[in-house]
Amino acid sequence: MCGIVGYVGPKEAVPILMDGLKKLEYRGYDSAGLAAVVGGAIERRRAPGKLTNLEKVLATDPLAGSTALGHTRWATHGKPSEENAHPHTDPSGAVAVIHNGIIENYLEIKDRLAAAGAKFESETDTEVIAHLVAEKLAQFQKTGAAPKPDLMEPLLFEAVRRALGEVRGAYAVAVLWSKAPNVIVAAKTASPLIIGLGEGETFLASDIPAFLAHTRKAVFLEDGEMAVLKRGGATFFDLSGKKLVKTPTTITWDRTMAEKGGYRHFMLKEIMEQPSSCEDTMRGRFFPLKGVLERDCGMNADILKTTRSVQMIACGTAYHACLVGQYWLETLVGVPTRVETASEFRYRETTITADDLVIAVSQSGETADTLAAVKLAKEKGAKVLAVCNTVGSALTRAADWTLYTHCGPELGVASTKAFIGQLTALAVLVLHAAIGRGTMTQTQGRAFVDELVKVPGWIRAALKLDAAVHKIALKFAKKEHFLFIGRYVNYPIALEAALKLKEISYIHAEGYAAGELKHGPIALIDTEMPVVVIATKSRLLEKTLSSLQEVKARGAQLIVLATEGEGDFKDIEHVLRLPPVPELLSPLVNIIPLQMLAYHISDLRGCDVDQPRNLAKSVTVE
Ligand code: AGP
């Protein structure tokens, strides 16, 4: 997610904004910039990379002004560069915009504006907002008398309001206009935006830490709301222009808590962000059912039609996402699919050729084994599609195309929201591959989309199990062994749940295909062994219940994931009920309580949840 800061007040804005952006650095970013209204004009300073680069620019070319915006960019559209760094302006330079989110229909808007002669300087979706606001302001000036100074603010408000009426997607946006030197207009839909109310000064931020040093009085904008910030405070409206009354909140968090959004750990914050990770990764990628992938990642969807087979490579959690993707590709697309850990693939005599498509999945895009495996695949002539969360990372530069997950920075070493993002991106890919290969009709494709768009809601329902999961964690936190079992698309979830538990609680945990128990692992079962059984709605539920009975008969301590209304588990003490979900999509929901189980057990054991021993967030060495 990008970092947003803004200031309207009596002081020089730049020191306040730079300090605010530094307080947001933990969120991760790849470029930064500022804009201020100075002497009736907008001035900008931007730099790629870290804030120190922007400080160097300011040292030689200071920026004055007491109405200003600042931004740290986490790239979603367009590589990290000065040209793509925010703030963005309209061609006249009179309107400056910063933005966090994704404008789904930015290409349509950009095409319309370009056809009318507009020139764009960046690859970003954000720039179209600056053009739209300027277009509305120009229309006012054409139709009405030259606006009087006291009309500038309402004019800017109305121009932003009308511009946002043309965009679809997620935004936290803030706008400056050179002719309205003491006002910032802001708006929010789906991305966070908070107003800080000081004494004779007003702040804007995407996250509380940015202005906590100046005021604890905050107003949280809700979706579809706008704010006009001036020195004396802020006024609030909805997108229809109706005035709103909003009650300020007093923030009691300290800074560390504020960085984690009030959660005790980044991992818990990121678990809770997973509905948005799913929504943001799906956003704008369904319709039209043909042509989305070409537009989104430049990929020729024909390759999905003609590829002989798919080879998926990844590590860790990303590997487990590929295992789920394999079931989807074979079930819905009918393409032979293999999955291999990158560390194995890179040293085997692979048989892939130019007729095969390689899909490399990685949150960081910097995992050494995955990069080496991709290098080998390309030497064999295969085309490579990356699924990645980090724009401009090494993997995205090595691959032929990248389908980005839009989860924002994932700071906890244990991957959670990135996993949901990877599954979501693979589901989007499967949809378009199935349509392309004709294994799904347009009607079936739309039915699949109808189910996919419900996943964030199902994840939200699963997150409500947190208290019940915590109660179970209290009972099992001291265990030294755990088994997780699942079948079909939930076998990878058993593996992923075991990885989550072992990497943050240091408990020896293993995931198994339920049908494998009798081939050895059942020897491990005794009255001390906790066994988590993924027994949600499935055509194989009866088989899974047999496996459950096998371990129950040997005294295992059972924890069961079940579907509301499915299966009679009255003799089982710990049953977590999940909403009814189509089996193929159930991995996106079933993993949620198991992530929370790992989190709570780790926390109860006093482990370092966010930075577990021996682990790094990105394994950039062999
Ligand atoms: C997952 O919780 C681990 N942190 C680890 O397995 C991780 O998924 C793996 O190292 C792959 O990282 P990547 O997605 O950045 O390539």
Side-chain angles (χ1 to χ4, degrees), residues 451-532:
E451 288 182 342
L452 270 177
V453 297
K454 291 175 189 160
V455 169
W458 289 328
I459 292 175
R460 284 190 184 92
L463 290 171
K464 293 195 172 87
L465 291 169
D466 190 40
V469 172
H470 182 253
K471 210 164 138 221
I472 292 172
L474 286 167
K475 176 165 181 197
F476 290 91
K478 292 192 179 346
K479 291 293 183 183
E480 289 312 317
H481 302 279
F482 253 87
L483 276 188
F484 294 80
I485 62 173
R487 282 182 188 268
Y488 189 51
V489 284
N490 282 296
Y491 163 43
I493 299 306
L495 297 175
E496 173 57 13
L499 174 61
K500 286 282 98 43
L501 184 64
K502 74 180 85 169
E503 69 175 324
I504 62 173
S505 70
Y506 319 144
I507 290 173
H508 171 240
E510 290 189 75
Y512 270 101
E516 268 300 289
L517 278 176
K518 51 188 168 302
H519 300 286
I522 200 161
L524 292 171
I525 307 299
D526 61 19
T527 56
E528 281 307 304
M529 179 62 83
V531 179
V532 178

Side-chain angles (χ1 to χ4, degrees), residues 315-318 362-364 367 413-415 499-500 503 619:
C315 299
T317 288
S362 173
Q363 188 286 128
S364 63
T367 300
V413 164
S415 191
L499 174 61
K500 286 282 98 43
E503 69 175 324
V619 183

Side-chain angles (χ1 to χ4, degrees), residues 149-177:
D150 62 352
L151 272 181
M152 293 306 180
E153 291 153 16
L155 268 184
L156 178 60
F157 168 78
E158 184 58 14
V160 173
R161 192 186 70 79
R162 290 187 189 189
L164 293 177
E166 294 190 30
V167 306
R168 280 198 321 274
Y171 54 78
V173 64
V175 184
L176 288 180
W177 182 26

